[in-house]
Amino acid sequence: MEQPVFKRKIYKEILEWKEKRSDKYALLIKGARRVGKSTIVEEFAKNEFKSYILIDFAHTSKAIKELFDDTYDLDFFFLQLQQLTGIRLYEKESVIIFDEIQLLPKARQAIKYLVADGRYKYIETGSLISIKKNTKDILIPSEEHKISMYPLDFEEFLWAVGDEISVETIKTLVEKKKPAGNTMHRNLMRIFRLYMLIGGMPQAIETYLEQNNLQAVDETKREIVDLYEEDFTKIDSSGLAGDIYDAIPSNLSGNASRYMLSTAREGTRSEQVRELLPDMLSSYTVNIAYHANNPAVGMSLEKDAGRYKLFASDVGLFVTLAFKDKSYTDNIIYNKLLSDKLEANLGYVYENVVAQMLTAKGNKLFYYTMESDTSNHLYEIDFLTSVGDKICPIEVKSGNYRAHKSLDVFCDKFSRYVKDKYVVHTKDFEWKNGINYIPVYMVPFI
C-alpha cells in the first residue's frame, strides 16, 4: 500500500523558500527520524517542479556517492547524475533532494558550489544524529536556509483523520472567547485525548487509520522509540542519552523543579550531560524548557542553562515511554486513557503535550519557580511565552483542580510585565478574574 501523504503546514514554508530564496540558498529541513521529512519533500518536488532527483544517502549506490569526490566540473557532474538516475534535469525547473545529508559530508560541502552554479534547486534533509557530528573536516555552506519539522500538530492530526470541522469550531470559540458547551466540549476533549494517545508521528497515524486499533498503534510507536534509542548510542556509546530519554515521563511525574539526572542513572553529574544535551536537542527527539531566572526581561538572555526540564517531542511517544515497563500497552489502558478513566494523575502527560504544541507554534520554552515566604513550598509557573515586551504565564492542570496559587503570586510579583494569564485544563472555557481558563485543545490557537 502506498504511504499516505498527510497535509502539513511546512509545505507553505517550503513553497516560500522556492519563491523567495531558492536562487541563493539550498533548503535544509531538520527534524527527528520518521517525522515525515522525506515524504513531504518528495511530494513538494512532484507538485512544484518539472522533474526531481532524490538521493537517499542512507540507501544509494556507491557510484552516486563517488560523484561528490570531485565536483569541480559541474557539467560532467550533472551529466553523470542524470545518466546514473535515468532522470532528466531542466534548468530552473528541477530540484535535487539530498536525503539524510549528514551521512555524506562531502555532498553538503558541495552545496556552496551547486547553489552558485544556479542551474537547479536543492533541498537537504537531516535527522536525529547531530548534523554537526559529520562536519568536522568540511566547509559548512552558508548558502542554506534552515527550517525545522516537527510531528503533526493537533490541527494537522485532525486533517489526517478526516476531521475538517473541529479546527474551525475551536478557532471560532477562541476568537469569541466562548465555552463549547457540555456535549461539544466532551467530543473535542475525546478527540484531543485520541491525539495524545496516537501522537503526531505519521507512521502511528497511518497505523491507526489502517487498523483502528490502539494496541497496533502502540507497537508502531515502540518501533520508533527503539529506533531512537539505537541512534542515541551513536551520540553516546555509554547509553546515558537513551537513559535520559527513557526517564522523561518519570521525571515529569515526580513534579521536580528541574530534570533530575539521578532518575536517568544514579550518580550522573551535570558535567557528563553538558556536551550530551546539545546533541540530544539537535536530534529533535526532545524539547527543553529552561528556567527563566528573570522573566521580566528577555528570557533567553537570563536563562539558567543548567536548570531545565525535558519533554518528549511527540506526546504519543511520551505515552508509550510512560508505559514502557510492559511488553506492550494493553488496549484496556488506552481505552481508559481515551475515556479519561485511568486512575492516575495524568497532569504530566498534559504538560508534555502543551510543551509540544507551544514548540510547534515557534515558542522557546521557559518556566519559572520562586520560593514561598511562609513555607518551604516552591511556586512554579509551567510555561512562559512572550508577546512583544510582555509575558504570558501558563499553568497546566488536569481534572477538576482549579487552584492556581503559583499563578497568582507570579502575577502579583511581575504584574507590570504580564499580558494574558492562562490556566490550561480539561474543562470548558471560562474567563474569570482576569484569567483565561482554557481547555487544552485551545492551546494551538491562542
Side-chain angles (χ1 to χ4, degrees), residues 135-147:
T135 58
K136 181 179 178 182
D137 299 317
I138 72 167
L139 178 67
I140 303 297
S142 58
E143 297 77 11
E144 286 178 335
H145 175 64
K146 302 177 180 68
I147 60 176

Side-chain angles (χ1 to χ4, degrees), residues 200-215:
M201 301 304 287
Q203 279 183 298
I205 298 171
E206 182 183 354
T207 300
Y208 169 73
L209 294 174
E210 288 178 353
Q211 301 189 40
N212 193 35
N213 183 290
L214 291 174
Q215 184 173 315

Side-chain angles (χ1 to χ4, degrees), residues 264-328:
R265 185 180 292 180
E266 195 66 40
T268 301
R269 299 184 304 275
S270 58
E271 293 78 12
Q272 295 174 262
V273 186
R274 190 167 294 153
E275 293 186 6
L276 192 59
L277 189 59
D279 289 332
M280 292 187 68
L281 295 175
S282 67
S283 76
Y284 283 75
T285 56
V286 298
N287 294 323
I288 191 168
Y290 287 105
H291 188 273
N293 288 343
N294 186 356
V297 298
M299 290 181 284
S300 293
L301 298 175
E302 294 200 30
K303 71 183 182 183
D304 187 339
R307 191 174 181 182
Y308 52 83
K309 291 187 176 185
L310 293 179
F311 305 91
S313 61
D314 178 71
V315 67
L317 299 184
F318 178 88
V319 170
T320 292
L321 280 174
F323 295 104
K324 199 182 176 188
D325 57 321
K326 295 180 176 291
S327 58
Y328 64 87

Side-chain angles (χ1 to χ4, degrees), residues 146-164:
K146 302 177 180 68
I147 60 176
S148 299
M149 187 172 186
Y150 302 102
L152 276 76
D153 65 20
F154 182 47
E155 187 172 1
E156 292 171 324
F157 174 80
L158 291 173
W159 294 339
V161 299
D163 185 342
E164 299 288 341

